[in-house]
Amino acid sequence: VETSKKKYQQSRETPLFGNSTQSKTTKAHNNREANLAPQFTFDNYIMGDSNMLAYSIAKSIAENPGKEYNPLFLYSGVGLGKTHLVQAIGNKILKEKPSLKVLYTTGEQFGNELIEALQSSKGKIYRVDQFRKKFRNADVLIIDDIQFKAFCKAEISVSFHTFNTLHLS
């Protein structure tokens, strides 16, 4: 009697069509790992005459990552939706192709991590290697608000090699 009661309880606790709690947890984990805000999607992006082309290109990238417009650089004034759009790319890729490793960062964070890796390294290669692994092992690397004029020579060199590695793979 106890065995059949246990089976009955387990069958009631397990949904028929997958575990929705598990998929929500996995999605949240993927977004956190990718450093993406899940609320930035194409569905809630506000489109206007000035950003239709950027929106179309971003959707194309999300549907075929690494195939077209690689790398993509968006340039416009403050508050016009660049961050929303690039994060929407990452979120759609995670939703459609969860096996891909997506990583979002800002130009400032990228530069700060590089400087920290270089300063921490002083004779210890492992810090720079950790930096390289983090950014070069991404299938999709999204760097927001990247202004090359703020980068020093070393940062530009490492950035170039990172972009080149991702572009060629």
Side-chain angles (χ1 to χ4, degrees):
V1 176
E2 183 140 339
T3 306
S4 60
K5 184 178 180 182
K6 194 180 237 184
K7 283 182 182 177
Y8 173 74
Q9 285 177 332
Q10 285 176 339
S11 68
R12 285 183 37 149
E13 292 169 4
T14 305
L16 291 175
F17 301 104
N19 188 341
S20 62
T21 306
Q22 185 181 19
S23 64
K24 285 179 186 177
T25 304
T26 303
K27 184 177 179 182
H29 175 71
N30 287 345
N31 282 91
R32 204 171 34 256
E33 213 173 72
N35 201 26
L36 291 166
Q39 70 270 22
F40 290 133
T41 65
F42 288 112
D43 293 337
N44 62 15
Y45 183 75
I46 299 173
M47 222 180 354
D49 292 339
S50 64
N51 62 11
M52 285 174 142
L53 179 61
Y55 177 86
S56 296
I57 290 170
K59 281 204 75 158
S60 175
I61 291 169
E63 290 163 3
N64 301 298
K67 305 289 186 232
E68 298 175 335
Y69 308 106
N70 186 18
L72 169 71
F73 292 95
L74 295 176
Y75 178 80
S76 71
V78 175
L80 296 175
K82 294 180 300 297
T83 296
H84 188 132
L85 204 51
V86 297
Q87 288 212 21
I89 292 170
N91 282 317
K92 180 157 177 86
I93 292 170
L94 277 181
K95 181 180 178 186
E96 302 290 320
K97 301 177 183 186
S99 63
L100 292 181
K101 184 177 178 192
V102 176
L103 180 59
Y104 169 88
T105 189
T106 64
E108 180 181 14
Q109 185 178 349
F110 181 86
N112 288 343
E113 286 189 44
L114 173 60
I115 290 168
E116 183 182 319
L118 293 171
Q119 287 176 344
S120 298
S121 290
K122 298 188 182 174
K124 301 175 190 168
I125 304 298
Y126 74 94
R127 283 293 299 154
V128 173
D129 283 348
Q130 286 175 343
F131 175 87
R132 283 187 184 129
K133 280 180 189 171
K134 177 179 180 179
F135 291 102
R136 291 185 186 180
N137 287 340
D139 295 307
V140 178
L141 176 61
I142 301 169
I143 302 179
D144 194 6
D145 288 331
I146 189 166
Q147 286 88 10
F148 281 106
K149 65 184 179 193
F151 278 43
C152 70
K153 254 185 184 175
E155 289 176 281
I156 291 172
S157 175
V158 171
S159 299
F160 170 76
H161 290 298
T162 298
F163 297 146
N164 197 38
T165 300
L166 291 170
H167 184 69
L168 294 175
S169 54

